[in-house]
Amino acid sequence: MDRRRFLQGATIASGVAMTTPVLAKGPAKVPSGASGGTIPRVCSTWDFGVAANQAAWKVLSAGGRALDAVEQGARVPEADLRNHSVGRAGYPDRDGKVTLDASIMDENGNCGAVAAIEHIAHPISVARRVMERTPHVLLVGDGALQFALEQGFPREELLTPESEKAWHEWLKTARYKPVANSEVKSYNAGPGGTPGDASNHDTIGMLAIDAKGNLSGACTTSGMAWKLHGRVGDSPIIGAGLYVDNDVGGATSTGVGEEVIRNVGSFLVVELMRQGRSPEDACREAVERILSRKPNAKDLQVGFLAMDKKGNVGAWAIQKGFSYAVCDAKKQDTLIPGKSTY
């Protein structure tokens, strides 16, 4: 067989509404699940998930596939020059190189990922090509770049002037200390933005269920700022940063990826939902698993976001400050403060 053709084929709490206008109307008839679940629906991590959700909603509201929705949604923060935690404007590693990670997973259990890829602005789309056009799940580094270029993705310089300036400032002290919730602190920083030190950042994770009741997920990141060159977190690792089981639900994570990897976090959340936990309860138990095994992790941030087969959404984090966005036919700009242990 030609290997290029291999594999082809929660009750929502009252959230803080952002002022982004509605982009698309929902289908004329939207089935509802129990406990507030709604189909179709898309959710994603952090404040910048609102714009990502709206791009995904254009696909879902037209009756499109969840896989297409999460890819299109994830491409929004990847291209956002205000976003220093995902994509082309991400802060570099300590050598000044911007390396990106991404994964994607569909309703059939197919998955693809890239890690430590340079010079490619949309790693989520490369991850999908890995899934659909190779017999592999994960390509890394120079091999991932070679594959992307062969697939027609343009080679670009990803280190923006703003990111390069921030890197040179960091080099003055070269002190590496992750800061919780800097995803939101650094987003759109500057005049009119949110102030904060971006010493740590990572991910947008996205989950969607389409009108046919099928689930897919995506996760994309530029990883932690000032990391060792070659460091890879949980985002491109299926079962850690992302996992989807179409019979049960999907989960994704954000925060310090090393802690998520050690506990195979997203897979754990889905398995807990399989046992009957709600999305929120499953996320909470996964966070508590991390804390029970490593109590000093309370000084870090890890957040999980989950969606079950009925479209119920829930989340939990170690610390306050984690937020997630939800979009469906009723409202396209909902932003919800995530619950936390501390």
Side-chain angles (χ1 to χ4, degrees):
M1 179 181 293
D2 184 346
R3 69 194 297 267
R4 292 184 178 274
R5 296 183 59 84
F6 191 90
L7 288 179
Q8 282 185 314
T11 300
I12 298 300
S14 177
V16 179
M18 296 182 69
T19 57
T20 310
V22 173
L23 292 183
K25 294 182 179 180
K29 185 176 182 180
V30 180
S32 296
S35 302
T38 301
I39 299 173
R41 172 174 277 173
V42 58
C43 63
S44 56
T45 57
W46 301 110
D47 301 41
F48 45 80
V50 172
N53 283 355
Q54 291 173 339
W57 184 246
K58 289 182 178 181
V59 176
L60 294 175
S61 64
R65 188 180 174 195
L67 180 68
D68 296 325
V70 295
E71 180 189 6
Q72 292 305 309
R75 287 173 62 95
V76 171
E78 285 182 339
D80 188 350
L81 295 181
R82 300 170 299 167
N83 193 325
H84 298 300
S85 53
V86 178
R88 63 182 309 123
Y91 285 135
D93 60 27
R94 60 190 60 197
D95 294 334
K97 297 179 179 179
V98 178
T99 62
L100 307 179
D101 309 320
S103 64
I104 196 166
M105 193 167 186
D106 71 9
E107 72 274 17
N108 298 313
N110 299 316
C111 48
V114 291
I117 189 172
E118 298 182 55
H119 304 300
I120 300 296
H122 289 294
I124 194 64
S125 294
V126 184
R128 182 169 180 178
R129 295 287 182 89
V130 172
M131 178 181 76
E132 293 181 337
R133 300 189 180 184
T134 83
H136 309 306
V137 169
L138 176 63
L139 296 180
V140 304
D142 290 342
L145 174 59
Q146 177 184 345
F147 173 76
L149 295 175
E150 290 173 351
Q151 291 294 308
F153 291 90
R155 183 185 179 111
E156 303 180 45
E157 176 55 64
L158 300 183
L159 184 64
T160 65
E162 185 179 0
S163 294
E164 185 174 17
K165 180 180 178 182
W167 174 56
H168 284 294
E169 285 296 316
W170 176 80
L171 285 174
K172 293 177 181 179
T173 58
R175 287 192 302 235
Y176 181 71
K177 183 179 180 181
V179 176
N181 302 323
S182 64
E183 291 90 344
V184 68
K185 291 177 182 177
S186 67
Y187 181 61
N188 201 23
T194 306
D197 174 23
S199 297
N200 171 37
H201 65 119
D202 58 319
T203 310
I204 181 166
M206 173 173 281
L207 304 166
I209 188 167
D210 58 34
K212 294 182 179 179
N214 289 323
L215 290 147
S216 290
C219 192
T220 183
T221 183
S222 55
M224 288 185 173
W226 336 130
K227 63 194 176 187
L228 284 172
H229 183 61
R231 179 266 183 186
V232 173
D234 63 308
S235 298
I237 299 177
I238 300 299
L242 176 70
Y243 194 72
V244 174
D245 185 320
N246 206 45
D247 293 332
V248 180
T252 188
S253 64
T254 185
V256 179
E258 284 77 1
E259 302 309 319
V260 180
I261 293 171
R262 290 184 180 106
N263 293 273
V264 199
S266 291
F267 178 78
L268 173 60
V269 171
V270 172
E271 287 304 296
L272 289 168
M273 289 194 292
R274 190 190 307 278
Q275 296 172 14
R277 311 293 205 287
S278 69
E280 182 181 297
D281 286 343
C283 291
R284 176 185 54 76
E285 188 164 335
V287 165
E288 291 178 353
R289 180 81 59 88
I290 291 173
L291 293 170
S292 67
R293 291 184 172 182
K294 189 176 180 181
N296 62 355
K298 67 181 182 181
D299 297 324
L300 304 174
Q301 178 65 303
V302 170
F304 290 105
L305 175 65
M307 175 185 286
D308 69 15
K309 185 67 173 175
K310 295 180 179 178
N312 297 306
V313 176
W316 200 273
I318 293 177
Q319 297 188 36
K320 292 180 180 178
F322 172 57
S323 59
Y324 62 100
V326 180
C327 173
D328 55 32
K330 295 179 181 178
K331 191 170 178 59
Q332 285 82 54
D333 58 3
T334 300
L335 184 65
I336 300 170
K339 295 181 181 180
S340 62
T341 301
Y342 296 103

